[in-house]
């Protein structure tokens, strides 16, 4: 008779799972591409750009997270993103320059930096890997930087199939 295989990691009662998805900030994400406001998609003309900003309905961004971007190879002066931010800021929850992944990373970094990790001191941790919400890779990097100095060990994945990342010597 074959012996039953026991998953000791999954059955470990001292193992704590940290799921970044639990901290996902709810709200719509919008990528605002300014290419359509540029002359031939490449040149920013200040007068026309300012006209677009004045005429645009910014209220549609109420309670959203906004990533400002330009999908063409245009050189965008820094003040242009500041002007856009100034217009959308009264409505949006957060405004960043970059991709939606940049936005998610920044949101998670802000959350991770406010968390109290003292409860994880000398604990065995698993950073949950499978997510149904968009958890960017940068969030995992920020998380391990906070946990590694205090945790006894850190794994990644699920208790049934985890990858060891760190073990204090």
């Amino acid at each position: 008779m074959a012996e039953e295989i026991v998953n000791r990691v999954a059955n470990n009662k001292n193992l704590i799972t940290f799921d970044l998805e639990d901290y996902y900030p709810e709200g719509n994400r919008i990528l605002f591409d300014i290419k359509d406001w540029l002359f031939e998609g490449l040149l920013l003309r200040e007068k026309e750009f300012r006209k677009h900003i004045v005429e645009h309905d910014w209220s549609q961004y109420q309670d959203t997270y906004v990533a400002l971007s330009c999908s063409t190879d245009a050189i965008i002066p820094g003040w242009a993103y500041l002007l856009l931010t100034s217009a959308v800021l009264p409505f949006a929850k957060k405004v960043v320059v970059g991709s939606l992944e940049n936005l998610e990373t920044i949101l998670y970094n802000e959350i991770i930096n406010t968390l109290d990790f003292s409860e994880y001191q000398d604990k065995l941790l698993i950073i949950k890997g499978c997510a149904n919400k968009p958890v960017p890779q940068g969030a995992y990097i920020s998380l391990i930087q906070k946990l590694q100095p205090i945790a006894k060990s850190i794994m990644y994945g699920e208790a049934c199939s985890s990858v060891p990342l760190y073990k204090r010597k």
Side-chain angles (χ1 to χ4, degrees), residues 13-96:
K13 303 298 181 212
N14 295 321
L15 191 62
I16 299 171
T17 299
F18 193 104
D19 188 354
L20 276 170
E21 196 173 65
D22 292 342
Y23 299 94
Y24 180 79
E26 295 297 331
N28 290 332
R29 275 79 165 149
I30 295 175
L31 181 66
F32 187 95
D33 189 348
I34 65 170
K35 73 172 171 50
D36 295 332
W37 289 8
L38 304 177
F39 178 70
E40 295 183 1
L42 293 172
L43 181 66
L44 188 146
R45 291 182 171 169
E46 183 178 352
K47 186 176 181 180
E48 289 92 10
F49 190 75
R50 286 182 179 273
K51 184 177 182 217
H52 283 294
I53 288 174
V54 168
E55 294 174 352
H56 191 72
D57 177 17
W58 296 105
S59 66
Q60 65 185 305
Y61 303 98
Q62 186 68 47
D63 297 325
T64 62
Y65 298 101
V66 179
L68 304 174
S69 181
C70 182
S71 61
T72 67
D73 288 332
I75 297 171
I76 307 300
W79 60 261
Y81 289 116
L82 293 173
L83 200 57
L84 286 166
T85 301
S86 179
V88 74
L89 196 57
F91 304 98
K93 289 181 180 181
K94 182 78 175 174
V95 182
V96 304

Side-chain angles (χ1 to χ4, degrees), residues 63 68 73 78 98 108-110 116 126:
D63 297 325
L68 304 174
D73 288 332
Y108 268 105
N109 284 343
E110 289 176 350
D116 177 13
I126 287 187

